[in-house]
Amino acid sequence: MTMVQNVAIIGAGISGLAALKCSLEAGLEATCFEKSDSVGGLWNYTEYAEDGRASIYRSVFTNACKEMMCYPDFPIPDEYPNYLHNSLFLDYLRLYVKHFDLARYIKFKTAVVSVQKCPDFQVTGQWKVITEQDGNRSSDIFDSVLICTGHHVHPNLPLHSFFGIERFTGRYMHNREYKEPAQYAGKRVLVVGLGNTGADIAVELSHTAQKVWLSTRSGSWIMSRVWDNGYPWDMVYLTRHQSFLNKVLPRAISDYLYESMMNKRFSHEMYGLVPLDRGSRKEPVFNDDLAACITCGTVVVKPNIREFTETSAIFEDGSVIENVDVVIFATGYSYAYPFIDDSIMKNSNNKVSLYKGVFPPKLEKPTLAVIGLVQSLGSIPSTSDVQARWAVSVIRGICKLPPKEMIVQELNEEETEKKSWFGRSETLSMDYITYMDELSSSIGCKPNLPLLCITDPRLAWEVFFGPCSPYQFRLTGPGKWDGARNAILNQWDRTIQAMRKREVPSHTGLSSFIALMKLLFIPLLLFTVFLAWY
């Protein structure tokens, strides 16, 4: 173990709070620097977009339900709904801060200006961190640094890709400037980009704008938050059982089942939404109302834009829309770290490259890590918690990174695999359960399913066939939370309670039949799980 004593944490959003809590849990002296006057990061709504800060619109809700969107050792309160408005989720983050007494370690209104290697870095691994507060700069030396600034700060606005945009006389902007629909009443609006944000804005504007078009270059699968039998989608889909099937089934069969699942609610081809690469596992769009808006004609889906004129947009299929008032580019974000030298973070292709999505591979000492720079179907709170615990273990010397040659090889192999599954090699996308299991195995907190089959069959059933909820990663090993077992066994009840506010008669006969079927088949299924795990 190395003599790392203190750590600087940059950002007090979801990832920064997880990093702070995990650092304190490991016995480190932690200082968190937050540019704004409050915790929450992306979820801290402001009336206007501010430079250097993430920005959301007023109506944003979580896309993950509360059982999957919580930190692994701090469930979201029972009285909260299954999907949370941004203001309610911010309240939850504040509860987390209060519960673990984190506020006294956070320096608010303090921006990190520069992070530099100390002259003796190859020996000490230390960093010089320069901060600014109220116009005054100061510097401190830290043994380690955790960067938790997310990837929704720097807008990606590729105007060079849209021929003639400089001639367009209407208003155009990035979606980070969009806040609410009232100012677009009676306008003709073109939304460019079919992601979660583009779909949300198009649907919201369809109630006030005169006309809304949604342009997409490659299409996307659309998922509803409400899934089979009315349960949240991630409670049904994000399971170890499903992950196991994805690994063992031939790719052609896996792709067929995936496409069939996505088309279960409506035909994406019929609605003009089907992605060019149907088998790609890139993150789908979560929207409950887009299909209804399309079939009602309040949102019209269009292909990629060929060029703009003074008042019109011409699409690649030759169609034209006239008298466009506003263009909203929902074209995502670029991730950058202006306070640190690019040579530390980027590879030869000038792209940020991180081992396991956390550690820059070029560092002589692994004392700097990035937390929260991943995308998966899983939630950021649980992912950040496991990332932070692993990063702190590596920084303290408890866990070891492989040699640099092996790291480079793994990164190359990872790029190839990502291109196969997600359509792009340089993507933040990860398979949630596989990724979490990799990191938790290194920490020693991955659930031991064969052992659970013997010692706690009921829990083993829920761990494998039930949702892979965050609590699983605090069930055992370092950082074990005593409430994890009960949280896993009661998660379905809490989900139902959050929805059912009126008592209705229950079908006890059907419930008893299902319980009997489980009792009869559980030994066979658990034995199958045991074999599958090994």
Side-chain angles (χ1 to χ4, degrees):
M1 293 176 59
T2 58
M3 296 301 294
V4 172
Q5 299 292 327
N6 62 7
V7 56
I9 297 160
I10 306 174
I14 291 176
S15 301
L17 295 178
L20 176 57
K21 188 257 188 182
C22 294
S23 297
L24 295 171
E25 195 173 51
L28 297 179
E29 299 172 10
T31 303
C32 180
F33 300 104
E34 168 56 41
K35 187 175 184 180
S36 72
D37 59 357
S38 174
V39 300
L42 175 71
W43 295 91
N44 188 8
Y45 173 82
T46 58
E47 292 290 341
Y48 303 96
E50 300 176 18
D51 288 340
R53 286 187 57 188
S55 176
I56 57 173
Y57 37 100
R58 189 183 295 276
S59 60
V60 165
F61 276 78
T62 60
N63 287 329
C65 72
K66 69 176 185 178
E67 294 300 322
M68 306 293 274
M69 190 66 181
C70 63
Y71 290 104
D73 53 356
F74 192 70
I76 292 175
D78 290 350
E79 63 269 20
Y80 282 32
N82 282 322
Y83 293 98
L84 278 62
H85 183 261
N86 62 83
S87 60
L88 202 55
F89 187 70
L90 180 60
D91 287 344
Y92 165 72
L93 295 179
R94 288 169 174 162
L95 289 174
Y96 182 80
V97 170
K98 182 178 180 181
H99 181 79
F100 292 107
D101 192 24
L102 302 180
R104 61 196 180 107
Y105 301 98
I106 304 173
K107 291 188 176 183
F108 292 105
K109 296 183 179 180
T110 305
V112 173
V113 178
S114 175
V115 176
Q116 306 169 7
K117 291 180 180 178
C118 288
D120 56 353
F121 179 83
Q122 293 190 10
V123 177
T124 65
Q126 291 182 325
W127 299 86
K128 180 181 179 181
V129 178
I130 301 174
T131 58
E132 183 175 299
Q133 184 181 43
D134 297 327
N136 300 315
R137 291 195 174 190
S138 61
S139 65
D140 296 279
I141 304 299
F142 288 92
D143 297 325
S144 54
V145 176
L146 299 178
I147 300 175
C148 311
T149 53
H151 51 91
H152 292 92
V153 175
H154 306 285
N156 175 42
L157 191 57
L159 297 180
H160 61 276
S161 300
F162 297 95
F163 182 77
I165 188 64
E166 70 282 354
R167 294 179 295 177
F168 181 65
T169 56
R171 181 187 177 193
Y172 63 87
M173 62 183 189
H174 190 268
N175 64 258
R176 75 187 308 271
E177 297 179 50
Y178 175 85
K179 291 296 178 177
E180 53 188 351
Q183 61 179 297
Y184 303 93
K187 303 289 186 182
R188 295 165 62 84
V189 184
L190 170 60
V191 180
V192 181
L194 179 55
N196 287 314
T197 300
D200 278 355
I201 292 175
V203 167
E204 186 168 75
L205 288 176
S206 70
H207 300 293
T208 56
Q210 181 190 127
K211 193 71 177 180
V212 178
W213 295 271
L214 178 59
S215 169
T216 175
R217 181 175 55 186
S218 56
S220 181
W221 296 118
I222 311 296
M223 290 181 70
S224 172
R225 292 179 176 88
V226 182
W227 210 240
D228 294 349
N229 298 314
Y231 287 108
W233 74 270
D234 40 359
M235 295 282 283
V236 177
Y237 182 69
L238 283 184
T239 69
R240 293 184 178 276
H241 172 246
Q242 182 65 48
S243 178
F244 170 69
L245 291 179
N246 288 341
K247 291 177 183 177
V248 300
L249 290 176
R251 181 63 189 268
I253 295 177
S254 176
D255 287 352
Y256 170 77
L257 294 175
Y258 183 73
E259 184 175 344
S260 299
M261 179 187 70
M262 291 298 180
N263 277 320
K264 184 163 58 175
R265 195 160 66 101
F266 64 88
S267 168
H268 284 65
E269 187 171 353
M270 186 167 64
Y271 279 71
L273 295 167
V274 66
L276 294 178
D277 184 358
R278 301 182 183 216
S280 171
R281 299 308 199 272
K282 76 171 187 176
E283 185 180 1
V285 171
F286 293 94
N287 194 285
D288 305 301
D289 304 310
L290 180 59
C293 289
I294 294 171
T295 199
C296 290
T298 55
V299 173
V300 178
V301 178
K302 302 294 290 182
N304 195 32
I305 298 167
R306 190 174 72 199
E307 66 175 299
F308 284 96
T309 67
E310 288 80 1
T311 59
S312 308
I314 304 172
F315 298 91
E316 289 184 345
D317 62 356
S319 62
V320 180
I321 57 174
E322 304 281 357
N323 302 319
V324 179
D325 296 305
V326 183
V327 179
I328 301 176
F329 289 99
T331 45
Y333 294 83
S334 57
Y335 36 101
Y337 305 98
F339 48 79
I340 195 167
D341 192 278
D342 280 348
S343 64
I344 294 173
M345 305 297 293
K346 294 185 176 181
N347 60 18
S348 57
N349 296 323
N350 201 35
K351 300 291 184 180
V352 173
S353 178
L354 303 170
Y355 178 65
K356 300 298 183 187
V358 176
F359 283 99
K362 299 178 183 179
L363 288 178
E364 302 88 342
K365 297 278 187 179
T367 55
L368 180 141
V370 179
I371 308 299
L373 190 69
V374 293
Q375 286 180 327
S376 74
L377 290 180
S379 71
I380 283 294
S382 57
T383 305
S384 296
D385 180 87
V386 172
Q387 282 185 323
R389 290 156 68 193
W390 179 62
V392 169
S393 295
V394 171
I395 288 170
R396 295 176 64 211
I398 297 173
C399 295
K400 300 290 185 182
L401 297 183
K404 286 186 179 181
E405 297 78 13
M406 190 175 296
I407 288 177
V408 172
Q409 182 181 342
E410 284 191 40
L411 285 172
N412 291 335
E413 292 173 355
E414 184 181 277
E415 285 189 3
T416 302
E417 187 174 352
K418 282 185 174 184
K419 188 169 185 178
S420 171
W421 280 100
F422 303 110
R424 292 173 53 216
S425 60
E426 294 167 344
T427 176
L428 301 180
S429 299
M430 301 279 190
D431 179 80
Y432 174 67
I433 295 177
T434 301
Y435 181 68
M436 293 288 277
D437 278 352
E438 285 179 1
L439 297 190
S440 59
S441 293
S442 299
I443 302 169
C445 67
K446 177 185 173 182
N448 189 333
L449 200 55
L451 180 62
L452 286 178
C453 289
I454 299 169
T455 61
D456 198 338
R458 183 187 172 198
L459 181 60
W461 174 281
E462 288 297 332
V463 167
F464 188 74
F465 290 102
C468 187
S469 48
Y471 320 119
Q472 292 194 15
F473 302 100
R474 289 275 183 173
L475 192 60
T476 187
K480 177 183 177 181
W481 175 49
D482 291 338
R485 182 181 185 274
N486 285 337
I488 292 170
L489 296 180
N490 296 320
Q491 56 196 356
W492 289 106
D493 292 335
R494 290 193 302 275
T495 299
I496 294 172
Q497 289 169 8
M499 296 184 290
R500 190 168 63 194
K501 301 301 182 182
R502 182 178 74 90
E503 290 298 323
V504 294
S506 60
H507 298 284
T508 55
L510 181 60
S511 300
S512 300
F513 176 75
I514 294 173
L516 178 62
M517 290 297 99
K518 284 186 176 182
L519 183 64
L520 291 174
F521 287 103
I522 191 171
L524 177 61
L525 288 170
L526 290 180
F527 180 70
T528 303
V529 171
F530 182 88
L531 294 179
W533 205 255
Y534 285 91

